[in-house]
Amino acid sequence: MQQTHADPGDTTPILNIVGEKVALGPYRRDLVPIYLRWINDFDVTRTLGIGMRPATLEAEEAWYERASRNDDDAGFTIYEAASLRPIGNTSLMNVNHLHRTAEFGILIGEKDCWGKGYGTETTRLMLQYGFNSLGLHNVMLTAYSFNERGLRAYRRAGFREVGRRRESVRLGGIAYDNVFMECLATEFAGRDQSK
């Protein structure tokens, strides 16, 4: 994981983690209008479990204020590495250092970036960060069974399905399973073997 920091006069975003396809940097106040656009696109949010309701600028600004000050979450803006265009958000939530656990979440907001491996690489980078930098042992996520693209990305990154809550999610009048997945540091190929 490479760290890049911009000079005060430079408009290049701060990048904490750099991969081949994506780079991750801190949430930014100036990107709140872009975050708002993503969260109001129901094609983007249908897999998030936040409901199909419009979000206001005030609500998104309040989310930013909470997220940027929450010590139990480690959240990042996802950038396309080649262009440094913001394309989504990702986070490790409810980080518990005593039990060495966290929950993973991701949103790729730019639909032209879907299906290009950005989600898989982001997931791998976040697992590597969680295990090697935060000292976590178990990272879990939940996903809807209809989110086949997401489930494939999570499996490729190192997550395993550990259970389902059957027919617990309804979308468009159809019942879907809530899929529970996790990855352990001892099973993750990208972990630092010295720890």
Short mmCIF file of all heavy atoms in Angstrom, two decimals, residues 97-140:
data_model
loop_
_atom_site.label_atom_id
_atom_site.label_comp_id
_atom_site.label_asym_id
_atom_site.label_seq_id
_atom_site.Cartn_x
_atom_site.Cartn_y
_atom_site.Cartn_z
N HIS A 97 -11.56 -3.12 18.10
CA HIS A 97 -10.17 -3.54 18.27
C HIS A 97 -10.02 -4.64 19.32
O HIS A 97 -9.08 -5.43 19.24
CB HIS A 97 -9.29 -2.33 18.60
CG HIS A 97 -9.18 -1.39 17.44
ND1 HIS A 97 -8.45 -1.68 16.31
CD2 HIS A 97 -9.73 -0.17 17.22
CE1 HIS A 97 -8.54 -0.69 15.45
NE2 HIS A 97 -9.31 0.24 15.98
N LEU A 98 -10.92 -4.71 20.28
CA LEU A 98 -10.85 -5.77 21.29
C LEU A 98 -11.07 -7.13 20.63
O LEU A 98 -10.30 -8.07 20.83
CB LEU A 98 -11.88 -5.53 22.39
CG LEU A 98 -12.01 -6.64 23.43
CD1 LEU A 98 -10.72 -6.80 24.22
CD2 LEU A 98 -13.18 -6.36 24.36
N HIS A 99 -12.13 -7.23 19.83
CA HIS A 99 -12.45 -8.50 19.19
C HIS A 99 -11.83 -8.64 17.80
O HIS A 99 -11.92 -9.70 17.19
CB HIS A 99 -13.97 -8.67 19.10
CG HIS A 99 -14.63 -8.70 20.44
ND1 HIS A 99 -14.39 -9.70 21.37
CD2 HIS A 99 -15.49 -7.83 21.03
CE1 HIS A 99 -15.09 -9.46 22.46
NE2 HIS A 99 -15.76 -8.33 22.29
N ARG A 100 -11.23 -7.53 17.32
CA ARG A 100 -10.55 -7.49 16.02
C ARG A 100 -11.51 -7.80 14.88
O ARG A 100 -11.22 -8.59 13.98
CB ARG A 100 -9.35 -8.44 16.03
CG ARG A 100 -8.32 -8.05 17.08
CD ARG A 100 -7.18 -9.01 17.21
NE ARG A 100 -6.52 -9.23 15.93
CZ ARG A 100 -5.86 -10.33 15.61
NH1 ARG A 100 -5.75 -11.31 16.49
NH2 ARG A 100 -5.28 -10.46 14.43
N THR A 101 -12.67 -7.13 14.90
CA THR A 101 -13.71 -7.35 13.90
C THR A 101 -14.14 -6.02 13.28
O THR A 101 -13.93 -4.95 13.85
CB THR A 101 -14.95 -8.01 14.51
OG1 THR A 101 -15.48 -7.16 15.54
CG2 THR A 101 -14.63 -9.38 15.09
N ALA A 102 -14.76 -6.13 12.11
CA ALA A 102 -15.36 -4.97 11.44
C ALA A 102 -16.34 -5.49 10.40
O ALA A 102 -16.36 -6.68 10.07
CB ALA A 102 -14.29 -4.10 10.78
N GLU A 103 -17.15 -4.56 9.87
CA GLU A 103 -18.08 -4.86 8.79
C GLU A 103 -17.67 -4.05 7.57
O GLU A 103 -17.32 -2.88 7.69
CB GLU A 103 -19.50 -4.50 9.21
CG GLU A 103 -19.98 -5.31 10.39
CD GLU A 103 -21.28 -4.77 10.98
OE1 GLU A 103 -22.10 -4.23 10.21
OE2 GLU A 103 -21.44 -4.88 12.20
N PHE A 104 -17.74 -4.66 6.40
CA PHE A 104 -17.31 -4.04 5.16
C PHE A 104 -18.51 -3.53 4.37
O PHE A 104 -19.55 -4.17 4.32
CB PHE A 104 -16.54 -5.04 4.30
CG PHE A 104 -16.20 -4.54 2.93
CD1 PHE A 104 -15.21 -3.60 2.76
CD2 PHE A 104 -16.88 -5.01 1.82
CE1 PHE A 104 -14.89 -3.11 1.49
CE2 PHE A 104 -16.57 -4.55 0.55
CZ PHE A 104 -15.57 -3.59 0.38
N GLY A 105 -18.33 -2.36 3.75
CA GLY A 105 -19.34 -1.81 2.86
C GLY A 105 -18.69 -1.12 1.67
O GLY A 105 -17.58 -0.60 1.78
N ILE A 106 -19.39 -1.12 0.55
CA ILE A 106 -18.88 -0.49 -0.67
C ILE A 106 -20.03 0.02 -1.51
O ILE A 106 -21.11 -0.57 -1.52
CB ILE A 106 -18.01 -1.48 -1.48
CG1 ILE A 106 -17.36 -0.78 -2.69
CG2 ILE A 106 -18.80 -2.70 -1.89
CD1 ILE A 106 -16.33 -1.65 -3.41
N LEU A 107 -19.79 1.13 -2.20
CA LEU A 107 -20.74 1.69 -3.16
C LEU A 107 -19.91 2.19 -4.34
O LEU A 107 -19.03 3.03 -4.15
CB LEU A 107 -21.50 2.86 -2.52
CG LEU A 107 -22.40 3.70 -3.40
CD1 LEU A 107 -23.55 4.24 -2.57
CD2 LEU A 107 -21.68 4.86 -4.06
N ILE A 108 -20.14 1.63 -5.51
CA ILE A 108 -19.56 2.18 -6.74
C ILE A 108 -20.67 3.02 -7.36
O ILE A 108 -21.64 2.50 -7.89
CB ILE A 108 -19.09 1.07 -7.72
CG1 ILE A 108 -18.06 0.15 -7.05
CG2 ILE A 108 -18.53 1.70 -9.00
CD1 ILE A 108 -16.72 0.78 -6.75
N GLY A 109 -20.53 4.32 -7.26
CA GLY A 109 -21.58 5.24 -7.67
C GLY A 109 -21.61 5.57 -9.15
O GLY A 109 -22.66 5.94 -9.68
N GLU A 110 -20.47 5.46 -9.83
CA GLU A 110 -20.41 5.75 -11.26
C GLU A 110 -20.69 4.47 -12.03
O GLU A 110 -19.86 3.56 -12.05
CB GLU A 110 -19.05 6.35 -11.62
CG GLU A 110 -18.75 7.67 -10.94
CD GLU A 110 -19.71 8.80 -11.32
OE1 GLU A 110 -20.32 8.75 -12.42
OE2 GLU A 110 -19.87 9.73 -10.50
N LYS A 111 -21.84 4.41 -12.67
CA LYS A 111 -22.28 3.17 -13.31
C LYS A 111 -21.39 2.75 -14.47
O LYS A 111 -21.30 1.56 -14.77
CB LYS A 111 -23.74 3.29 -13.75
CG LYS A 111 -24.69 3.32 -12.56
CD LYS A 111 -26.13 3.26 -12.99
CE LYS A 111 -26.65 4.66 -13.14
NZ LYS A 111 -28.10 4.72 -13.29
N ASP A 112 -20.69 3.70 -15.11
CA ASP A 112 -19.78 3.31 -16.18
C ASP A 112 -18.54 2.59 -15.63
O ASP A 112 -17.74 2.06 -16.40
CB ASP A 112 -19.37 4.53 -17.02
CG ASP A 112 -18.55 5.55 -16.27
OD1 ASP A 112 -18.83 5.79 -15.07
OD2 ASP A 112 -17.63 6.13 -16.87
N CYS A 113 -18.41 2.55 -14.32
CA CYS A 113 -17.30 1.83 -13.67
C CYS A 113 -17.70 0.45 -13.19
O CYS A 113 -16.88 -0.28 -12.62
CB CYS A 113 -16.75 2.67 -12.50
SG CYS A 113 -15.95 4.19 -13.07
N TRP A 114 -18.94 0.07 -13.38
CA TRP A 114 -19.40 -1.26 -13.00
C TRP A 114 -18.83 -2.30 -13.96
O TRP A 114 -18.69 -2.05 -15.15
CB TRP A 114 -20.92 -1.33 -13.02
CG TRP A 114 -21.61 -0.51 -11.97
CD1 TRP A 114 -21.03 0.28 -11.01
CD2 TRP A 114 -23.02 -0.38 -11.77
NE1 TRP A 114 -21.98 0.88 -10.24
CE2 TRP A 114 -23.22 0.49 -10.68
CE3 TRP A 114 -24.12 -0.91 -12.41
CZ2 TRP A 114 -24.49 0.84 -10.22
CZ3 TRP A 114 -25.39 -0.56 -11.96
CH2 TRP A 114 -25.56 0.30 -10.86
N GLY A 115 -18.51 -3.47 -13.43
CA GLY A 115 -18.05 -4.57 -14.27
C GLY A 115 -16.61 -4.45 -14.75
O GLY A 115 -16.21 -5.16 -15.67
N LYS A 116 -15.83 -3.57 -14.15
CA LYS A 116 -14.44 -3.36 -14.58
C LYS A 116 -13.42 -3.86 -13.55
O LYS A 116 -12.23 -3.63 -13.70
CB LYS A 116 -14.19 -1.88 -14.86
CG LYS A 116 -14.99 -1.36 -16.03
CD LYS A 116 -14.64 0.07 -16.35
CE LYS A 116 -15.38 0.52 -17.59
NZ LYS A 116 -15.06 1.88 -17.97
N GLY A 117 -13.90 -4.52 -12.49
CA GLY A 117 -12.99 -5.04 -11.47
C GLY A 117 -12.65 -4.04 -10.38
O GLY A 117 -11.86 -4.34 -9.49
N TYR A 118 -13.25 -2.85 -10.41
CA TYR A 118 -12.96 -1.84 -9.40
C TYR A 118 -13.46 -2.27 -8.03
O TYR A 118 -12.80 -2.02 -7.02
CB TYR A 118 -13.58 -0.49 -9.78
CG TYR A 118 -13.02 0.15 -11.03
CD1 TYR A 118 -13.72 1.16 -11.68
CD2 TYR A 118 -11.80 -0.23 -11.58
CE1 TYR A 118 -13.22 1.77 -12.81
CE2 TYR A 118 -11.30 0.37 -12.71
CZ TYR A 118 -12.01 1.37 -13.33
OH TYR A 118 -11.50 1.98 -14.44
N GLY A 119 -14.63 -2.89 -8.00
CA GLY A 119 -15.18 -3.34 -6.73
C GLY A 119 -14.34 -4.45 -6.11
O GLY A 119 -14.08 -4.46 -4.90
N THR A 120 -13.89 -5.39 -6.94
CA THR A 120 -13.05 -6.49 -6.44
C THR A 120 -11.74 -5.95 -5.88
O THR A 120 -11.32 -6.32 -4.78
CB THR A 120 -12.76 -7.50 -7.56
OG1 THR A 120 -14.00 -8.04 -8.03
CG2 THR A 120 -11.88 -8.64 -7.06
N GLU A 121 -11.09 -5.04 -6.63
CA GLU A 121 -9.82 -4.51 -6.14
C GLU A 121 -10.02 -3.67 -4.88
O GLU A 121 -9.24 -3.77 -3.93
CB GLU A 121 -9.10 -3.68 -7.20
CG GLU A 121 -7.73 -3.25 -6.70
CD GLU A 121 -6.92 -2.47 -7.71
OE1 GLU A 121 -7.32 -1.33 -8.03
OE2 GLU A 121 -5.90 -3.01 -8.16
N THR A 122 -11.08 -2.86 -4.85
CA THR A 122 -11.36 -2.08 -3.64
C THR A 122 -11.55 -3.00 -2.44
O THR A 122 -11.02 -2.75 -1.36
CB THR A 122 -12.61 -1.20 -3.84
OG1 THR A 122 -12.36 -0.28 -4.91
CG2 THR A 122 -12.97 -0.45 -2.59
N THR A 123 -12.30 -4.08 -2.63
CA THR A 123 -12.55 -5.02 -1.54
C THR A 123 -11.24 -5.64 -1.06
O THR A 123 -10.99 -5.72 0.15
CB THR A 123 -13.54 -6.11 -2.00
OG1 THR A 123 -14.74 -5.47 -2.47
CG2 THR A 123 -13.88 -7.06 -0.87
N ARG A 124 -10.38 -6.06 -1.98
CA ARG A 124 -9.08 -6.62 -1.59
C ARG A 124 -8.23 -5.60 -0.84
O ARG A 124 -7.60 -5.94 0.18
CB ARG A 124 -8.31 -7.09 -2.83
CG ARG A 124 -8.75 -8.41 -3.34
CD ARG A 124 -7.80 -8.94 -4.40
NE ARG A 124 -8.37 -10.09 -5.05
CZ ARG A 124 -8.61 -10.19 -6.35
NH1 ARG A 124 -8.29 -9.21 -7.17
NH2 ARG A 124 -9.15 -11.28 -6.84
N LEU A 125 -8.20 -4.37 -1.34
CA LEU A 125 -7.41 -3.32 -0.68
C LEU A 125 -7.93 -3.05 0.74
O LEU A 125 -7.14 -2.84 1.66
CB LEU A 125 -7.41 -2.03 -1.50
CG LEU A 125 -6.65 -2.08 -2.82
CD1 LEU A 125 -6.89 -0.80 -3.62
CD2 LEU A 125 -5.16 -2.30 -2.59
N MET A 126 -9.24 -3.08 0.90
CA MET A 126 -9.82 -2.83 2.22
C MET A 126 -9.54 -3.98 3.17
O MET A 126 -9.28 -3.77 4.36
CB MET A 126 -11.32 -2.56 2.11
CG MET A 126 -11.64 -1.21 1.48
SD MET A 126 -11.05 0.19 2.46
CE MET A 126 -12.29 0.21 3.76
N LEU A 127 -9.58 -5.21 2.68
CA LEU A 127 -9.23 -6.36 3.52
C LEU A 127 -7.76 -6.28 3.92
O LEU A 127 -7.40 -6.49 5.08
CB LEU A 127 -9.52 -7.67 2.80
CG LEU A 127 -11.00 -8.05 2.69
CD1 LEU A 127 -11.18 -9.26 1.77
CD2 LEU A 127 -11.60 -8.32 4.06
N GLN A 128 -6.91 -5.96 2.96
CA GLN A 128 -5.48 -5.82 3.25
C GLN A 128 -5.25 -4.73 4.29
O GLN A 128 -4.49 -4.91 5.25
CB GLN A 128 -4.75 -5.49 1.95
CG GLN A 128 -3.26 -5.60 2.02
CD GLN A 128 -2.65 -5.44 0.64
OE1 GLN A 128 -3.19 -4.78 -0.24
NE2 GLN A 128 -1.50 -6.06 0.44
N TYR A 129 -5.92 -3.60 4.14
CA TYR A 129 -5.82 -2.50 5.09
C TYR A 129 -6.33 -2.93 6.48
O TYR A 129 -5.67 -2.70 7.50
CB TYR A 129 -6.62 -1.31 4.57
CG TYR A 129 -6.87 -0.22 5.57
CD1 TYR A 129 -5.84 0.61 6.00
CD2 TYR A 129 -8.15 -0.01 6.08
CE1 TYR A 129 -6.08 1.62 6.92
CE2 TYR A 129 -8.39 0.99 7.00
CZ TYR A 129 -7.36 1.81 7.42
OH TYR A 129 -7.59 2.80 8.33
N GLY A 130 -7.48 -3.59 6.51
CA GLY A 130 -8.05 -4.02 7.78
C GLY A 130 -7.17 -5.01 8.51
O GLY A 130 -6.94 -4.89 9.72
N PHE A 131 -6.64 -5.99 7.80
CA PHE A 131 -5.83 -7.03 8.43
C PHE A 131 -4.42 -6.53 8.76
O PHE A 131 -3.91 -6.77 9.85
CB PHE A 131 -5.76 -8.27 7.55
CG PHE A 131 -7.09 -8.95 7.34
CD1 PHE A 131 -7.41 -9.51 6.12
CD2 PHE A 131 -8.03 -9.02 8.36
CE1 PHE A 131 -8.63 -10.14 5.92
CE2 PHE A 131 -9.25 -9.65 8.17
CZ PHE A 131 -9.55 -10.21 6.94
N ASN A 132 -3.79 -5.84 7.81
CA ASN A 132 -2.38 -5.46 7.98
C ASN A 132 -2.19 -4.15 8.73
O ASN A 132 -1.21 -4.01 9.45
CB ASN A 132 -1.68 -5.39 6.63
CG ASN A 132 -1.63 -6.73 5.94
OD1 ASN A 132 -1.71 -7.78 6.58
ND2 ASN A 132 -1.53 -6.72 4.63
N SER A 133 -3.09 -3.18 8.56
CA SER A 133 -2.91 -1.87 9.21
C SER A 133 -3.70 -1.74 10.50
O SER A 133 -3.21 -1.15 11.46
CB SER A 133 -3.30 -0.75 8.25
OG SER A 133 -2.48 -0.77 7.10
N LEU A 134 -4.93 -2.25 10.51
CA LEU A 134 -5.77 -2.13 11.71
C LEU A 134 -5.65 -3.33 12.64
O LEU A 134 -6.16 -3.30 13.75
CB LEU A 134 -7.23 -1.91 11.33
CG LEU A 134 -7.55 -0.66 10.52
CD1 LEU A 134 -9.05 -0.58 10.24
CD2 LEU A 134 -7.06 0.59 11.22
N GLY A 135 -5.02 -4.39 12.19
CA GLY A 135 -4.86 -5.58 13.03
C GLY A 135 -6.13 -6.38 13.22
O GLY A 135 -6.25 -7.11 14.20
N LEU A 136 -7.07 -6.28 12.28
CA LEU A 136 -8.32 -7.02 12.40
C LEU A 136 -8.09 -8.50 12.09
O LEU A 136 -7.11 -8.86 11.43
CB LEU A 136 -9.36 -6.45 11.43
CG LEU A 136 -9.74 -4.98 11.65
CD1 LEU A 136 -10.71 -4.53 10.57
CD2 LEU A 136 -10.30 -4.76 13.04
N HIS A 137 -9.00 -9.33 12.56
CA HIS A 137 -8.94 -10.76 12.26
C HIS A 137 -10.14 -11.22 11.45
O HIS A 137 -10.02 -12.12 10.62
CB HIS A 137 -8.85 -11.58 13.55
CG HIS A 137 -8.80 -13.06 13.28
ND1 HIS A 137 -7.71 -13.67 12.68
CD2 HIS A 137 -9.73 -14.03 13.48
CE1 HIS A 137 -7.98 -14.96 12.55
NE2 HIS A 137 -9.19 -15.20 13.01
N ASN A 138 -11.32 -10.63 11.68
CA ASN A 138 -12.55 -11.06 11.02
C ASN A 138 -13.27 -9.84 10.45
O ASN A 138 -13.59 -8.91 11.19
CB ASN A 138 -13.45 -11.79 12.02
CG ASN A 138 -14.77 -12.22 11.43
OD1 ASN A 138 -15.54 -11.40 10.95
ND2 ASN A 138 -15.07 -13.51 11.49
N VAL A 139 -13.51 -9.86 9.14
CA VAL A 139 -14.29 -8.81 8.49
C VAL A 139 -15.49 -9.48 7.85
O VAL A 139 -15.35 -10.48 7.14
CB VAL A 139 -13.47 -8.05 7.43
CG1 VAL A 139 -14.33 -7.02 6.70
CG2 VAL A 139 -12.25 -7.37 8.07
N MET A 140 -16.68 -8.95 8.12
CA MET A 140 -17.91 -9.54 7.58
C MET A 140 -18.65 -8.52 6.72
O MET A 140 -18.38 -7.32 6.77
CB MET A 140 -18.82 -10.06 8.68
CG MET A 140 -19.50 -8.97 9.50
SD MET A 140 -21.02 -9.49 10.34
CE MET A 140 -22.08 -9.93 9.00
#
